[in-house]
């Protein structure tokens, strides 16, 4: 069996070691006995989600996000349908932000996301930086990471965070919530990279993508 991975905007959204997440997904899949095929889908490319079992969407700076945000609108319908159907996707930092409604910069510029999940992000001058630990009540697991972001993400009333922060800030400096989970879509501010520091979560993603378990609960 083969795990087919889409590295969404992998040539643009790859800051803070996010490519390590892709390497960890590939390693985990191979250790689980699967072949792995990875493709970058970027600006100007068509996105045929039927070709993939898992999508990884890493982080980037404001300039890269502005470019990606514009192009992402051409892929919005396909991505939203993929997520609603239970497709597995992990967004880190900027990729996480663009799964929501919008990202607003310090200059007041607004970059639209795909609105697949009910949340929005606004930037503030002070960055949220440091080692982070969260506990996921949903999965009863602890995750470790490192965060460095100016954006503050606020989830809608009916949207569940990936976990609650034990150390660090998480999505913002107000509610002690980190990341998001919706069906089989996950977002997080954890760098480090996230999956290398939390191999049990990498295994969860691979298992979901290969249909070993059905996570959809929303």
């Amino acid at each position: 069996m083969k795990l087919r991975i889409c590295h969404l905007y992998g040539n643009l959204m790859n800051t803070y070691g996010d490519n390590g997440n892709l390497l960890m997904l590939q390693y985990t899949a191979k250790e689980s006995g699967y072949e792995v095929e990875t493709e970058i889908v970027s600006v100007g490319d068509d996105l045929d989600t039927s070709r993939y079992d898992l999508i990884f969407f890493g982080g980037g700076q404001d300039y890269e996000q502005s470019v990606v945000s514009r192009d992402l609108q051409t892929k919005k319908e396909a991505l939203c349908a993929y997520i609603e159907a239970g497709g597995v996707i992990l967004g880190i930092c900027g990729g996480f932000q663009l799964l929501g409604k919008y990202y607003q910069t310090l200059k007041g510029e607004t970059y639209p996301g795909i609105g697949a999940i009910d949340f929005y992000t606004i930037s503030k001058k002070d960055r949220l930086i440091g080692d982070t630990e969260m506990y996921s009540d949903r999965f009863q697991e602890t995750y470790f990471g490192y965060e460095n972001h100016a954006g503050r993400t606020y989830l809608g009333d009916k949207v569940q965070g990936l976990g609650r922060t034990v150390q660090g800030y998480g999505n913002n400096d107000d509610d002690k919530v980190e990341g998001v989970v919706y069906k089989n879509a996950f977002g997080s501010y954890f760098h480090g990279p996230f999956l290398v520091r939390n191999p049990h979560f990498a295994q969860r993603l691979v298992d979901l993508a290969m249909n070993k378990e059905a996570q959809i609960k929303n």
Side-chain angles (χ1 to χ4, degrees):
M1 296 180 66
K2 181 183 294 184
L3 175 67
R4 303 167 301 166
I5 301 174
C6 170
H7 193 184
L8 194 59
Y9 302 102
N11 58 332
L12 293 171
M13 304 287 277
N14 52 23
T15 59
Y16 300 126
D18 280 344
N19 280 344
N21 290 308
L22 179 65
L23 294 173
M24 190 62 185
L25 286 169
Q26 294 168 337
Y27 172 81
T28 302
K30 289 175 182 177
E31 286 295 297
S32 299
Y34 305 121
E35 296 181 35
V36 181
E37 181 178 277
T38 304
E39 293 181 354
I40 291 178
V41 175
S42 192
V43 174
D45 296 334
D46 292 330
L47 175 62
D48 178 1
T49 58
S50 68
R51 291 173 51 86
Y52 308 109
D53 306 300
L54 190 155
I55 296 176
F56 174 65
F57 193 4
Q61 304 297 323
D62 282 359
Y63 173 73
E64 286 79 10
Q65 281 191 257
S66 69
V67 174
V68 168
S69 171
R70 289 193 297 271
D71 185 80
L72 195 60
Q73 304 313 305
T74 68
K75 302 172 174 63
K76 174 179 178 177
E77 184 176 351
L79 278 170
C80 287
Y82 173 84
I83 290 170
E84 284 299 318
V88 181
I89 183 169
L90 173 63
I92 297 293
C93 202
F96 164 31
Q97 292 169 349
L98 291 176
L99 296 179
K101 293 180 177 179
Y102 62 84
Y103 165 68
Q104 186 179 85
T105 71
L106 280 172
K107 297 179 180 179
E109 299 169 310
T110 299
Y111 304 153
I114 60 171
I117 311 174
D118 182 17
F119 66 83
Y120 65 92
T121 304
I122 56 174
S123 290
K124 294 185 180 180
K125 184 176 181 180
D126 296 331
R127 299 185 69 84
L128 305 182
I129 302 173
D131 289 317
T132 314
E133 175 185 346
M134 70 165 149
Y135 182 78
S136 171
D137 292 305
R138 184 167 190 165
F139 302 131
Q140 297 184 346
E141 294 176 338
T142 296
Y143 307 127
F144 298 94
Y146 182 84
E147 60 185 326
N148 184 350
H149 54 103
R152 269 68 163 178
T153 294
Y154 298 93
L155 306 183
D157 292 339
K158 297 181 180 179
V159 178
Q160 183 179 4
L162 179 57
R164 48 186 171 83
T165 54
V166 177
Q167 176 185 346
Y169 300 98
N171 290 349
N172 52 65
D173 40 6
D174 297 322
D175 57 24
K176 295 295 182 181
V177 173
E178 156 54 30
V180 71
V181 54
Y182 174 72
K183 298 193 174 185
N184 292 331
F186 305 90
S188 175
Y189 276 112
F190 277 28
H191 291 291
F194 179 30
L195 298 182
V196 175
R197 297 188 66 178
N198 302 278
H200 48 309
F201 194 76
Q203 188 68 62
R204 179 179 298 280
L205 293 177
V206 169
D207 288 346
L208 282 172
M210 301 308 288
N211 300 310
K212 284 193 172 180
E213 54 178 294
Q215 181 54 48
I216 302 174
K217 295 180 180 179
N218 301 81

